[in-house]
Amino acid sequence: MEILANYINGELIPPHSSNYLDDINPAIAEKFAEIPLSDEEDLRLAIASAEKAFPAWSGLSAKERADYLMKISNLIKDNLEELAVAESTDTGKPLQLAKTVDIPRAASNMEFFAHAFTQFSSESHAGKDSINYTLRKPLGVVACISPWNLPLYLFTWKIAPALAAGNCVIAKPSEITPYTAYLFSKICMEAGLPNGVLNILHGTGPEIGNAIVQNKKIKAISFTGGTATGRKIAEISAPLFRKVSLELGGKNPALVFADCDLEKTVDGLVRASFTNQGEICLCASRIYIEESIYEDFKNRFVEKVKALKVGNPSKQANNMGALVSAQHLEKVKSYIDLAKKEGGNLLCGDEDIELDEETKNGYFLRPHVFENLPNQCSTNQEEIFGPVVSLNVFNDEKEAIALANESEYGLASTIWTNDLSRAHRIGNQIETGIVWINCWMNRDLRTPFGGMKNSGLGREGGLEALRFFTEPKNICIQY
Ligand code: NAD
């Protein structure tokens, strides 16, 4: 059993407290590693090493920093198998998904931002008697805090732009899925990343997470996680006038019109609803279907959902693995009970799961589909973050938009139609930061990524991330 360590000043070191937390493999419900419980003293060391590293790191050219990021990217690719097994073991997600999505994307994140910063430019404004130009300086020591659902994928999505722009980083992965962040520290050591440029602290949100957020030396926080946590971070950061980027929860609508390609839509929405056990902030969870095709859509959708295989994540035949923890499984089950109480008609989900001997105690749940739920009920309004979706009816485009927008969240939406004008019209009116038309999770890393309303503040990706991690300074010269 592996005992994980913090990564501080280029070294792997045990936590000051000597206390550890169990890291559980959710597919077999057994402990497989121990996670450091870091405290203020570990943070003090990490910040001191980051501050010491900052002048030299920020003084390198963009190309020199990019070379380190590219080395890390290549090492992620070289270690794909080990990282994918670790990610699947820690999260319960299918190994095949970790191999084809999570880990390749972590390598792409490092590569993309390595190149992006070498191509980054700032504005100049020529006037009648003067010219202004903008410098974009790194901020100093910044924090990156990430969640459990796409562990290495989201961890590197934050760290890469922060480092490429010349900042030094204190990073905290989720205490529920810390393993690939630990392997990532070893990769950074192998790549020769200078000491203190990146520091990875393990531990819980309320303890080390909160200590990071409270620390005034942290110049910016890039956070992905729940809306309630994001609100706390915003409250603490506001009086410090500190930059925050908050990528929070979602309750994503899908609008299905009678003129869509039905076969493609059903396939697309089965994927959008249940990939990674529905534990992706972008997953569809409220599906609105035009009345004239409701029954047809429902029958085809439910048939395909029933055919999904749930079980041992290391078996390629399985489409869905285990939920991330016993606690999360209980939370999702409580929403299923609530949906029934709210009058929902369960179309599928209560079938038996056939588990092999190895995974018989794991936290598995079949995909659940409900219908007949009012738009204002908890099932249609609160983020469940698991394999539960509702099917709902609409009569016309106006009603579809109103139902989709009746939500506190505004992260992502999907629109399924072959009417080009309608696609543009709804794309313009729907209140989400990301709109996918006839597709889902089609990602170009140059685009702004994030949500509106309670789904967050600010955007990640491309230029948005590079602007976030730099401070603009205007210089004016009179002719
Ligand atoms: P969470 O908010 O509980 O935890 C996220 C991270 O914050 C963890 O590392 C945790 O330890 C830390 N944390 C918790 N309390 C903290 C505190 N008081 N101060 C500082 N740090 C603290 O979220 P989670 O359960 O890990 O993740 C699930 C949530 O993340 C869902 O709501 C999901 O929608 C959201 N999410 C959003 C996106 C996005 O891009 N918008 C992507 C993935 C997940």
Side-chain angles (χ1 to χ4, degrees):
M1 192 192 57
E2 188 110 33
I3 313 270
L4 275 50
N6 287 328
Y7 173 53
I8 302 176
N9 200 29
E11 286 179 54
L12 291 173
I13 56 171
H16 166 253
S17 69
S18 304
N19 292 329
Y20 291 83
L21 185 73
D22 292 347
D23 193 0
I24 307 289
N25 173 345
I28 58 172
E30 276 178 24
K31 167 175 164 177
F32 75 102
E34 288 191 356
I35 313 155
L37 279 174
S38 309
D39 62 19
E40 293 271 0
E41 178 56 18
D42 302 295
L43 178 62
R44 192 188 64 72
L45 289 177
I47 291 183
S49 80
E51 283 184 326
K52 189 162 162 236
F54 180 69
W57 180 249
S58 57
L60 293 180
S61 69
K63 166 79 173 61
E64 285 167 322
R65 287 195 298 270
D67 287 345
Y68 284 108
L69 268 64
M70 284 307 297
K71 273 190 205 160
I72 295 172
S73 174
N74 289 332
L75 284 167
I76 293 174
K77 288 181 198 156
D78 294 348
N79 291 283
L80 186 136
E81 188 69 31
E82 185 195 2
L83 288 163
V85 169
E87 204 70 295
S88 171
T89 306
D90 218 358
T91 57
K93 73 174 70 206
L95 177 58
Q96 191 59 16
L97 188 68
K99 267 188 200 172
T100 54
V101 177
D102 291 74
I103 308 305
R105 175 57 193 276
S108 305
N109 288 339
M110 301 308 293
E111 184 177 340
F112 172 80
F113 283 110
H115 295 314
F117 201 76
T118 63
Q119 306 296 313
F120 192 40
S121 59
S122 57
E123 300 100 6
S124 96
H125 302 89
K128 197 172 162 214
D129 64 348
S130 62
I131 184 163
N132 290 268
Y133 64 88
T134 309
L135 293 180
R136 287 243 161 215
K137 310 284 285 179
L139 303 171
V141 180
V142 300
C144 299
I145 304 178
S146 58
W148 50 257
N149 63 323
L150 300 167
L152 193 62
Y153 175 134
L154 291 175
F155 199 56
T156 50
W157 179 233
K158 300 178 172 306
I159 290 171
L163 293 182
N167 301 282
C168 290
V169 175
I170 309 293
K172 193 198 98 59
S174 169
E175 62 273 35
I176 301 169
T177 56
Y179 205 90
T180 46
Y182 168 66
L183 296 178
F184 185 72
S185 14
K186 292 187 177 179
I187 284 177
C188 292
M189 290 164 80
E190 197 180 336
L193 188 69
N195 295 350
V197 166
L198 171 65
N199 301 273
I200 300 177
L201 298 178
H202 294 275
T204 67
E207 192 160 0
I208 188 63
N210 181 52
I212 293 170
V213 176
Q214 298 281 359
N215 196 296
K216 296 194 172 100
K217 292 186 172 174
I218 301 289
K219 303 288 185 233
I221 299 179
S222 173
F223 170 80
T224 299
T227 297
T229 316
R231 188 167 283 122
K232 275 188 210 159
I233 293 174
E235 277 167 10
I236 296 165
S237 297
L240 301 176
F241 307 119
R242 170 205 273 157
K243 271 183 158 180
V244 288
S245 166
L246 304 171
E247 302 301 332
L248 312 177
K251 188 74 193 174
N252 308 307
L255 305 187
V256 181
F257 287 88
D259 60 23
C260 73
D261 176 336
L262 196 54
E263 199 58 33
K264 190 177 154 196
T265 303
V266 169
D267 285 344
L269 280 173
V270 170
R271 203 179 133 250
S273 305
F274 300 116
T275 298
N276 206 44
Q277 302 73 243
E279 296 166 328
I280 301 183
C281 55
L282 307 164
C283 276
S285 58
R286 306 179 277 143
I287 305 180
Y288 299 96
I289 304 132
E290 191 161 1
E291 211 265 331
S292 60
I293 58 157
Y294 182 80
E295 288 299 322
D296 197 7
F297 176 89
K298 176 173 94 176
N299 294 336
R300 292 182 194 220
F301 184 77
V302 170
E303 189 187 328
K304 294 226 157 138
V305 174
K306 280 186 174 166
L308 290 174
K309 290 197 167 54
V310 178
N312 193 331
S314 59
K315 302 264 158 61
Q316 208 173 325
N318 290 327
N319 311 100
M320 290 168 63
L323 266 62
V324 76
S325 66
Q327 197 188 11
H328 190 56
L329 175 66
E330 283 317 307
K331 179 191 148 186
V332 177
K333 280 184 174 170
S334 74
Y335 269 107
I336 291 168
D337 292 341
L338 185 61
K340 290 176 186 162
K341 283 191 198 121
E342 289 179 323
N345 176 27
L346 183 64
L347 297 169
C348 64
D350 54 2
E351 309 84 14
D352 288 339
I353 309 176
E354 283 174 31
L355 295 171
D356 56 22
E357 189 53 29
E358 190 191 1
T359 56
K360 64 179 193 295
N361 297 322
Y363 312 133
F364 295 91
L365 187 68
R366 280 211 57 85
H368 282 61
V369 181
F370 282 96
E371 66 173 352
N372 282 349
L373 283 159
N375 208 42
Q376 270 304 325
C377 74
S378 304
T379 315
N380 270 332
Q381 293 294 325
E382 293 173 24
E383 185 185 45
I384 300 174
F385 214 52
V388 182
V389 297
S390 70
L391 305 186
N392 310 272
V393 187
F394 68 81
N395 290 300
D396 58 29
E397 187 179 308
K398 198 168 161 224
E399 189 191 8
I401 297 170
L403 289 166
N405 286 345
E406 191 179 30
S407 171
E408 284 184 358
Y409 292 104
L411 186 54
S413 56
T414 56
I415 301 165
W416 305 83
T417 178
N418 277 327
D419 180 336
L420 187 61
S421 303
R422 165 181 281 153
H424 287 301
R425 226 170 19 240
I426 303 181
N428 185 37
Q429 291 177 58
I430 204 158
E431 294 165 358
T432 60
I434 301 155
V435 184
W436 278 298
I437 295 168
N438 297 326
C439 62
W440 175 73
M441 266 280 263
N442 183 335
R443 293 279 296 118
D444 180 327
L445 304 190
R446 295 169 299 180
T447 59
F449 178 87
M452 45 177 84
K453 302 186 192 171
N454 282 0
S455 291
L457 187 68
R459 294 292 183 274
E460 298 187 307
L463 291 177
E464 301 283 339
L466 299 181
R467 290 194 182 118
F468 175 76
F469 283 115
T470 50
E471 184 82 54
K473 184 197 282 185
N474 188 68
I475 298 187
C476 174
I477 310 164
Q478 191 153 326
Y479 295 139

